[in-house]
């Protein structure tokens, strides 16, 4: 009876453990969260101090790294970190244009690998499909992004050649 129980338990655990493995997370996770009203519900929003006051943001991201097709890094003003310009795909570009037109005066909070890095104020409609993270990106994150996507203006072929040469 004990053997039967152990066999059944193992048979039930094997599929569960293989599902738990699933996909591994990307080396760089980037999410953009739009400012929300506190009244949207505690499960749907979270607070974060921005510009010296408590501001609520939506838990669901407006944009993620999956919307990004290319990037470009630059030295941040703090001279110790980097910033990133992220070029969105066609669908993301359209969503950015409509989101930024409808939400002027609200903040867009940027999280990289689960930690808050920056908040930008939506001051006008953004129609070029570019999102900017102005600060607090580490060199390791820039290097990880290098392996995930081309730089802005770089063809996929040139990107593959550059990555191949970097790995030598």
């Amino acid at each position: 009876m004990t053997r039967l129980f152990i066999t059944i338990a193992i048979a039930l655990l094997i599929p569960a453990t293989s599902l738990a493995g699933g996909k591994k997370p990307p080396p760089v996770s980037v999410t953009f969260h739009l400012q929300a009203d506190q009244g949207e519900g505690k499960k749907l929003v979270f607070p974060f101090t921005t510009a010296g006051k408590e501001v609520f943001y939506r838990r669901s991201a407006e944009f993620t790294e999956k919307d990004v097709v290319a990037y470009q890094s630059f030295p941040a003003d703090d001279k110790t970190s980097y910033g990133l310009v992220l070029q969105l795909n066609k669908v993301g570009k359209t969503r950015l244009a409509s989101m930024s037109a409808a939400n002027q005066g609200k903040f867009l909070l940027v999280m990289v690998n689960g930690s808050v890095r920056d908040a930008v104020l939506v001051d006008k409609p953004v129609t070029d499909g570019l999102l900017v993270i102005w600060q607090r990106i580490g060199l390791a994150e820039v290097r990880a992004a290098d392996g995930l996507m081309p730089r802005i203006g770089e063809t996929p072929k040139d990107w593959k050649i550059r990555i191949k040469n970097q790995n030598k």
Side-chain angles (χ1 to χ4, degrees):
M1 184 70 170
T2 306
R3 263 192 194 166
L4 179 63
F5 177 75
I6 292 172
T7 306
I8 292 171
I10 290 173
L12 291 173
L13 286 176
I14 289 173
T17 55
S18 65
L19 288 175
K23 295 180 183 176
K24 67 178 189 176
V28 179
S29 168
V30 180
T31 57
F32 291 82
H33 302 267
L34 185 63
Q35 181 179 343
D37 296 321
Q38 182 178 2
E40 289 188 33
K42 291 182 180 179
K43 291 184 178 181
L44 301 176
V45 299
F46 65 94
F48 189 79
T49 304
T50 307
K53 62 181 180 176
E54 185 176 65
V55 177
F56 288 85
Y57 295 93
R58 292 183 182 152
R59 287 194 189 276
S60 60
E62 295 292 317
F63 306 97
T64 70
E65 71 279 349
K66 294 175 184 172
D67 299 308
V68 179
V69 293
Y71 86 101
Q72 186 63 49
S73 63
F74 59 90
D77 287 342
D78 64 10
K79 306 219 186 320
T80 61
S81 67
Y82 293 88
L84 294 177
V85 179
L86 303 174
Q87 182 181 8
L88 300 179
N89 59 23
K90 288 180 183 182
V91 173
K93 181 179 178 178
T94 303
R95 281 195 344 249
L96 177 60
S98 61
M99 182 281 300
S100 59
N103 293 287
Q104 291 181 44
K106 291 187 176 184
F107 285 102
L108 195 59
L109 188 75
V110 182
M111 297 180 83
V112 177
N113 294 335
S115 69
V116 175
R117 301 301 174 92
D118 203 0
V120 293
L121 183 65
V122 179
D123 60 350
K124 62 183 179 180
V126 181
T127 58
D128 61 4
L130 300 176
L131 280 171
V132 180
I133 304 172
W134 291 99
Q135 59 189 349
R136 297 190 192 116
I137 303 297
L139 182 58
E141 293 158 336
V142 172
R143 288 184 177 153
D146 236 2
L148 295 175
M149 67 190 81
R151 294 179 184 159
I152 293 175
E154 187 175 45
T155 67
K157 182 180 177 183
D158 291 340
W159 171 56
K160 288 178 183 178
I161 291 170
R162 180 174 53 83
I163 295 300
K164 185 178 178 181
N165 290 335
Q166 284 178 348
N167 292 334
K168 285 183 179 180

